[in-house]
């Protein structure tokens, strides 16, 4: 094999074997030509332009690094888990084995120069046998290393990894937000939630269930021994297309066995732009005006899954600049955004919303997002923060804008205080957006023939201006707060729905259930 002999360059060898071509190399740009071959190859892999698995046999031969065997069931971290994690973090190399046989596992991307150093460091003892493997396989080893007591099931678990990846890729491809894996007598029924509606997926064989479920739970840092109690966990997922997701996994015991739900949270902040969300023009202005103010309380209300957090993050993204200190306090943090301070609260472990909020106020913030106001203490601190020169954004579980005011009063906030701080209330739901395709087309790539692609908010928006403030102070409750008046800026859900249907963004079938429910 010519690629293995020393006279042929690595890249040249790959080209001869049709594993690489000039066009792909060109994607690296001119500056890359001066880099060593191996470094160019690493860049191509990072850009996901090459399939790593296909290259491994050639690299193995060329560099005299045998491939890692299929089964690693008998391996455990060596010399000890803590040191192993440290080595992995520094070099990308995983050390495994025991006193007799030590194995160092590395990928193309690892720090190969560290091989010598580790050999010296781990002497005396038998020399390290180096093994080459793929990034995916190494990630699995690292996950298993974090849960060494489970490694006896290792090879079965490895079979589940490609299945999980194909499910995740399918979900990403169809813009699915959740994957449901349900134990049924015939096997595991997969369903994908797309634009808010569950769509049937494949029925997986029963034999795959134990390893697939264990693999998912391991990745998400959950205890695979627990099957009869609900659990949750999370993991990062990098899709083939280069997008990053936070994978939220929850498990639930069902009568036919466990049920897992995997939620895919897109970490790409660019999607969270206000203009892209679909608010009508005059309402966008109200949102912008309230969010540009130096202080005040902006509330998003609606049930779980109504897009409240997405809208709040769109506001945060618009405000995010080096001149503003932005804090988010959530349970847990939903989207990671650079440039802002994010705190995950965990009431079970003793850090409550109210406590984190009070601590954040000592750090001189300009804008604070409080994930949810649901108790008197949080309500009180949030309102005080809004009163003392901070812009506070939060959510509330309530049916509409008017009941949100009542909720805060019920949580013990004084009328005057509320009137002085509240600036805007948006109550929103999501409906499916019509696919812009013109004719009936079952093969439409955007909607797969369903006729819908993406979702838009249908919302009610109340601007708390002088008129509404006076009404709150005067003790108006319920619909009295929004009695028609020339100064009232109140866009009802029905009005929004009408506009969206008129503009053919959605249809009555989608909005009618919402209007009937409110
Ligand atoms: Zn379509």
């Amino acid at each position: 094999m010519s690629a293995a002999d020393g006279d042929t360059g690595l890249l040249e060898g790959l080209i001869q074997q049709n594993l690489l071509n000039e066009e792909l190399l060109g994607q690296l740009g001119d500056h890359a030509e001066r880099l060593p071959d191996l470094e160019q190859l690493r860049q191509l892999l990072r850009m996901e332009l090459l399939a790593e698995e296909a290259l491994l046999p050639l690299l193995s031969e060329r560099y005299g690094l045998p491939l890692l065997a299929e089964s690693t069931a008998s391996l455990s971290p060596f010399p000890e888990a803590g040191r192993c994690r440290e080595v992995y973090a520094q070099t990308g190399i995983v050390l495994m084995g025991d006193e007799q046989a030590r194995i160092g596992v590395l990928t193309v991307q690892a720090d190969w120069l560290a091989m010598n150093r580790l050999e010296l460091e781990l002497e005396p003892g038998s020399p390290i046998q180096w093994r080459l493997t793929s990034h995916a396989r190494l990630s699995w080893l690292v996950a298993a290393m974090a849960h060494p007591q489970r490694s006896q099931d290792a090879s079965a678990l490895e079979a589940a990894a490609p299945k999980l990846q194909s499910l995740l890729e399918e979900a990403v491809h169809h813009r699915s937000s959740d994957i449901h894996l349900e134990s049924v007598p015939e096997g595991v029924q997969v369903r994908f939630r797309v634009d808010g509606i569950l769509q049937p997926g494949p029925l997986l064989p029963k034999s795959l269930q134990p390893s697939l479920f264990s693999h998912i739970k391991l990745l998400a840092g959950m205890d695979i021994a627990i099957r009869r109690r609900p659990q949750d966990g999370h993991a990062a997922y990098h899709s083939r297309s280069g997008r990053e997701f936070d994978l939220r996994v929850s498990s639930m015991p069902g009568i036919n066995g466990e049920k897992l739900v995997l939620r895919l949270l897109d970490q790409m902040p660019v999607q969270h732009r206000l203009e892209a969300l679909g608010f009508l023009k005059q309402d966008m202005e109200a949102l912008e005006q309230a969010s540009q103010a130096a202080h005040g309380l902006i509330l998003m209300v609606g049930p779980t899954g109504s897009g409240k957090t997405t809208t709040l993050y769109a506001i945060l993204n618009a405000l995010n600049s080096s001149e503003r200190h932005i804090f988010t306090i959530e349970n847990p943090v939903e989207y990671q955004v650079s440039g802002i301070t994010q705190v995950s609260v965990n009431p079970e472990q003793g850090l409550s919303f109210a406590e984190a909020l009070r601590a954040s106020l000592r750090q001189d913030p300009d804008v604070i997002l409080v994930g949810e106001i649901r108790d008197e203490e949080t309500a009180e601190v949030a309102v005080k923060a809004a009163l003392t020169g901070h812009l506070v954004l939060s959510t509330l579980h309530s049916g509409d804008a008017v009941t949100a005011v009542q909720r805060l009063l019920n949580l013990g906030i004084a009328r005057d205080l509320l009137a002085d701080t509240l600036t805007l209330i948006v109550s929103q739901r999501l409906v499916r957006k019509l696919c812009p395709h013109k004719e009936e087309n079952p093969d439409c790539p955007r909607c797969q023939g369903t006729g819908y692609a993406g979702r838009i908010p249908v919302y009610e928006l109340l601007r708390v201006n002088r008129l509404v403030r006076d009404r709150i102070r005067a003790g108006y409750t319920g619909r009295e707060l929004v009695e028609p008046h020339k100064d009232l800026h109140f866009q009802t859900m029905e009005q929004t729905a009408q506009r969206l249907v008129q503009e053919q963004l959605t249809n009555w079938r989608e909005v009618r259930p919402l209007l009937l429910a409110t």
Side-chain angles (χ1 to χ4, degrees):
M1 200 190 276
S2 62
D5 79 49
D7 296 338
T8 317
L10 168 64
L11 297 178
E12 209 181 311
L14 290 170
I15 291 171
Q16 280 171 15
Q17 299 223 346
N18 283 328
L19 291 167
L20 183 62
N21 57 45
E22 296 290 348
E23 194 190 328
L24 280 177
L25 273 177
Q27 304 243 17
L28 289 177
D30 295 338
H31 68 281
E33 276 174 34
R34 286 190 298 274
L35 294 172
D37 278 11
L38 189 59
E39 190 47 43
Q40 290 189 48
L41 187 64
R42 284 176 172 152
Q43 290 200 8
L44 288 168
L45 286 170
R46 270 198 290 274
M47 292 161 78
E48 296 185 320
L49 292 171
L50 292 177
E52 191 182 10
E53 299 278 356
L55 305 175
L56 290 178
L58 186 135
L59 293 171
S60 162
E61 192 176 347
R62 182 177 183 94
Y63 296 105
L65 290 167
L67 295 175
L68 183 68
E70 278 304 307
S71 172
T72 47
S74 61
L75 295 179
S76 54
F78 181 83
E80 21 133 343
R83 177 73 185 120
C84 263
R85 271 196 288 276
E86 205 176 300
V87 168
Y88 172 67
Q90 285 163 358
T91 64
I93 293 172
V94 172
L95 293 173
M96 308 199 92
D98 52 35
E99 290 290 346
Q100 280 74 47
R102 299 168 174 196
I103 294 182
V105 186
L106 70 170
T107 63
V108 180
Q109 305 286 2
D111 177 7
W112 288 19
L113 295 174
M115 287 158 79
N116 277 333
R117 205 175 66 228
L118 286 169
E119 272 171 0
L120 287 174
E121 189 189 321
L122 292 173
E123 286 298 318
S126 52
I128 302 175
Q129 302 169 27
W130 295 101
R131 294 285 181 271
L132 187 65
T133 195
S134 66
H135 177 68
R137 186 94 189 281
L138 190 89
S139 304
W140 185 84
L141 285 178
V142 173
M145 204 161 75
H147 306 265
Q149 74 279 12
R150 312 286 174 223
S151 57
Q152 64 274 19
D153 302 327
S155 46
L157 288 177
E158 282 178 58
K163 180 41 80 184
L164 174 64
Q165 184 166 18
S166 73
L167 287 174
L168 289 169
E169 286 301 323
E170 191 173 346
V172 171
H173 179 71
H174 292 307
R175 295 173 294 98
S176 171
S177 59
D178 304 81
I179 307 173
H180 290 229
L181 300 173
E182 200 163 355
S183 308
V184 293
E186 303 79 36
V188 178
Q189 180 62 55
V190 182
R191 288 188 293 173
F192 297 100
R193 190 176 289 281
V194 180
D195 297 336
I197 309 282
L198 277 174
Q199 314 276 6
L203 177 71
L204 305 176
K206 192 104 202 145
S207 57
L208 191 64
Q209 197 230 3
S211 58
L212 180 64
F213 279 29
S214 294
H215 176 66
I216 295 170
K217 287 161 81 176
L218 264 177
L219 276 184
M222 296 153 71
D223 189 335
I224 59 175
I226 298 176
R227 298 200 185 89
R228 303 197 180 280
R229 266 188 290 129
Q231 278 192 86
D232 58 88
H234 74 109
Y237 180 67
H238 305 267
S239 76
R240 280 184 208 269
S241 52
R243 286 162 68 190
E244 279 184 44
F245 295 87
D246 188 23
L247 199 61
R248 293 277 161 78
V249 181
S250 64
S251 73
M252 199 59 160
I255 51 164
N256 287 317
E258 254 185 317
K259 163 151 191 175
L260 294 187
V261 175
L262 285 62
R263 165 153 289 191
L264 282 154
L265 284 166
D266 194 337
Q267 295 294 298
M268 203 187 294
V270 65
Q271 294 208 327
H272 302 132
R273 286 185 304 115
L274 267 181
E275 311 86 75
L277 290 182
F279 282 91
L280 298 167
K281 191 166 172 294
Q282 81 258 31
D283 301 323
M284 271 284 300
E285 283 164 14
L287 269 170
E288 275 165 1
Q289 202 182 345
S291 58
Q292 291 296 333
H295 55 87
L297 176 61
I298 299 177
L299 278 183
M300 294 291 313
V301 307
T304 308
S306 59
K308 301 186 296 269
T309 312
T310 307
T311 302
L312 288 180
Y313 265 88
I315 295 175
L316 284 192
N317 276 329
L319 293 174
N320 192 2
S321 77
S322 56
E323 288 139 46
R324 287 196 184 87
H325 184 194
I326 302 180
F327 244 101
T328 78
I329 301 164
E330 298 167 86
N331 180 18
V333 168
E334 290 212 19
Y335 302 103
Q336 292 185 19
V337 182
S338 65
I340 69 181
T341 310
Q342 297 178 283
V343 182
S344 270
V345 300
N346 190 339
E348 291 96 62
Q349 287 175 14
L351 181 61
S352 69
F353 272 114
E355 219 172 317
L357 181 53
R358 254 194 295 270
S360 77
L361 287 171
R362 293 192 283 271
Q363 301 227 315
D364 187 31
D366 297 297
V367 182
I368 310 168
L369 184 155
V370 184
E372 191 189 348
I373 296 178
R374 66 159 114 196
D375 58 273
E376 291 185 10
E377 204 186 355
T378 310
E380 189 196 331
V381 192
V383 167
K384 282 201 174 129
L387 193 68
T388 54
H390 308 94
L391 180 67
V392 179
L393 313 169
S394 193
T395 74
L396 204 63
H397 269 279
S398 110
D400 56 39
V402 168
T403 49
V405 172
Q406 194 56 50
R407 254 320 304 270
L408 285 172
L409 293 173
N410 293 348
L411 285 171
I413 304 300
R415 293 192 171 280
D416 286 348
L417 215 53
L418 194 58
D420 286 340
T421 49
L422 210 51
T423 53
L424 187 75
I425 308 176
V426 180
S427 167
Q428 77 168 55
R429 307 286 186 278
L430 291 172
V431 292
R432 289 187 294 173
K433 194 176 174 182
L434 289 175
C435 177
H437 74 207
K438 291 283 178 269
E439 294 140 30
E440 205 58 40
N441 175 9
D443 301 322
C444 172
R446 292 188 58 170
C447 67
Q448 285 90 37
T450 60
Y452 300 96
R455 289 195 289 177
I456 39 170
V458 180
Y459 56 88
E460 174 182 273
L461 182 144
L462 175 64
R463 193 184 267 191
V464 184
N465 55 14
R466 181 185 290 273
L467 172 76
V468 179
R469 278 200 295 275
D470 288 346
R471 286 178 174 179
I472 293 174
R473 278 201 195 90
Y476 282 48
T477 53
R479 303 312 287 180
E480 295 173 344
L481 276 172
V482 289
E483 249 168 47
H485 187 283
K486 68 177 173 45
D487 292 335
L488 184 74
H489 181 115
F490 182 52
Q491 170 90 23
T492 67
M493 203 159 282
E494 189 162 1
Q495 286 166 336
T496 320
Q498 241 154 21
R499 289 284 301 276
L500 294 173
V501 173
Q502 258 165 28
E503 296 183 20
Q504 298 192 325
L505 291 165
T506 188
N507 58 22
W508 282 113
R509 226 191 82 186
E510 280 293 299
V511 297
R512 196 174 296 122
L514 292 183
L515 300 181
L516 291 176
T518 51

